[in-house]
Amino acid sequence: NFPFRNGFMGLKAETEIALGKREINGIYIADDGYLIEKYKTPANTEKIAGNFKKFYRAVNRENCSVSLMLVPTASVIYQDKLPSFVPESEQMAVRNEIYEKSGLPRIECYDALMAAKDDMELYYHTDHHWTSYGAYIAYTAYCEQKGIRPVSLDSLIKKEVSADFQGTVYSKLNDGRMGKDTITIFENPANKLSVYYADTKETTDSLYNFDYLNKKDKYSMFLNNIHPLIEITNEGADSDRELALIKDSYANSIVPFLVNHYKKVYVFDTRYYK
């Protein structure tokens, strides 16, 4: 920490971009205003796959369907927007290795995201997460492979809740000339939600905490940021099924679509659930 740190970072990034540099602090300056994080190959792929395999063996039962969705990042889906010097990512090979060695049935969303990438913004320009549109495309792929009829976007209420979002990737550059993202959400008026946060003992009727829109980390409005366990009940769901979702923060923006089909959803974040 030092005075005017963000200003110095922004000046440094602005100067390097002016000199033609397209990679700064592990961030690629991509086409169409995208800032895309450089992919880092995990060092413990074998352990990851092994843990998934142990989990699958432990919980797989006749009345319990277990599956795994590994979401590709913007560096894969928007490979064509990256600078020409960037080599092809190892990410897809790593994903396939984890899928194969874990033995879990896969939910593949790559093809659906690739098919939609020119029709809508699937990832934020300034953040590493996907947008609600990206989450929706993956949700439709999930539904197709689970035999569920997805809700159409046209049947949901669309709300643009922020037009000045600058996310985690932007923060690594702090170049004020970079653009801002719009955060859009989709709500189903038929849903009757009760959302319980086990760590704070709070219960609400919304999947969002709009207070975060007044803070820097606006993406945290989805599911009220990070919690070890969230229990969501939807009396308006189209079935009595239950879902246990073990996730990272990408899933926070797909949950608003999944709740349409499950009366009860348990959301675990293993980074905080001990």
Side-chain angles (χ1 to χ4, degrees), residues 10 35 53 56 68 82-83 102-103 143 163 175 177 202 258 270:
L35 304 176
K53 190 171 186 176
Y56 183 45
L68 173 64
L82 293 174
S102 69
C143 288
D175 184 349
R177 300 175 307 163
E202 295 175 276
L258 293 173
T270 54

Side-chain angles (χ1 to χ4, degrees), residues 11-271:
L11 179 60
K12 175 178 179 289
E14 186 175 337
T15 302
E16 291 182 330
I17 292 171
L19 292 173
K21 196 168 183 181
R22 301 284 302 274
E23 181 186 344
I24 304 170
N25 295 339
I27 305 299
Y28 294 124
I29 313 301
D31 294 342
D32 300 327
Y34 280 92
L35 304 176
I36 299 179
E37 249 182 335
K38 187 177 183 179
Y39 175 70
K40 296 179 181 178
T41 303
N44 56 346
T45 304
E46 291 279 351
K47 183 176 180 181
I48 293 170
N51 285 339
F52 279 139
K53 190 171 186 176
K54 290 178 185 176
F55 173 79
Y56 183 45
R57 288 177 173 175
V59 302
N60 190 37
R61 298 288 186 274
E62 185 176 333
N63 63 343
C64 178
S65 173
V66 184
S67 55
L68 173 64
M69 177 189 283
L70 298 177
V71 179
T73 66
S75 65
V76 168
I77 303 301
Y78 289 153
Q79 172 79 28
D80 58 337
K81 297 183 185 296
L82 293 174
S84 58
F85 64 81
V86 179
E88 186 173 347
S89 174
E90 296 178 343
Q91 186 179 152
M92 292 302 291
V94 171
R95 290 171 72 252
N96 288 334
E97 182 182 355
I98 292 174
Y99 274 135
E100 290 169 7
K101 291 185 177 179
S102 69
L104 268 84
R106 68 175 69 185
I107 298 293
E108 185 56 82
C109 61
Y110 169 79
D111 290 338
L113 290 168
M114 286 297 291
K117 73 185 185 73
D118 295 326
D119 299 328
M120 55 185 72
E121 293 184 350
L122 303 180
Y123 297 82
Y124 294 108
H125 291 76
T126 67
D127 193 77
H128 67 284
H129 292 103
W130 54 11
T131 64
S132 292
Y133 292 102
Y136 177 79
I137 295 300
Y139 151 77
T140 60
Y142 172 88
C143 288
E144 179 181 351
Q145 292 165 73
K146 287 290 186 180
I148 298 172
R149 183 177 181 181
V151 294
S152 67
L153 280 183
D154 293 339
S155 67
L156 303 176
I157 298 175
K158 174 184 174 181
K159 295 181 180 178
E160 293 184 356
V161 295
S162 176
D164 61 352
F165 174 43
Q166 292 179 310
T168 55
V169 186
Y170 170 86
S171 296
K172 295 184 179 182
L173 299 181
N174 275 299
D175 184 349
R177 300 175 307 163
M178 299 299 175
K180 298 178 179 180
D181 280 301
T182 296
I183 298 178
T184 303
I185 63 173
F186 296 89
E187 296 183 299
N188 187 344
N191 287 339
K192 299 175 182 178
L193 298 170
S194 175
V195 184
Y196 173 69
Y197 299 98
D199 54 338
T200 62
K201 313 300 183 190
E202 295 175 276
T203 302
T204 74
D205 60 356
S206 174
L207 297 169
Y208 311 100
N209 182 348
F210 295 113
D211 290 344
Y212 279 102
L213 296 178
N214 299 316
K215 302 177 182 180
K216 181 173 176 56
D217 185 16
K218 292 177 171 54
Y219 184 82
S220 291
M221 61 156 285
F222 291 98
L223 291 190
N224 192 20
N225 201 1
I226 298 170
H227 295 268
L229 171 62
I230 307 170
E231 298 181 25
I232 304 168
T233 304
N234 184 10
E235 297 295 343
D238 61 15
S239 79
D240 289 331
R241 288 174 295 205
E242 297 188 354
L243 172 69
L245 177 63
I246 302 169
K247 58 89 183 178
D248 64 11
S249 57
Y250 258 60
N252 287 18
S253 51
I254 199 174
V255 167
F257 300 114
L258 293 173
V259 296
N260 293 292
H261 311 292
Y262 297 95
K263 187 172 184 179
K264 192 88 171 182
V265 179
Y266 300 90
V267 183
F268 294 91
D269 194 315
T270 54
R271 297 170 297 172

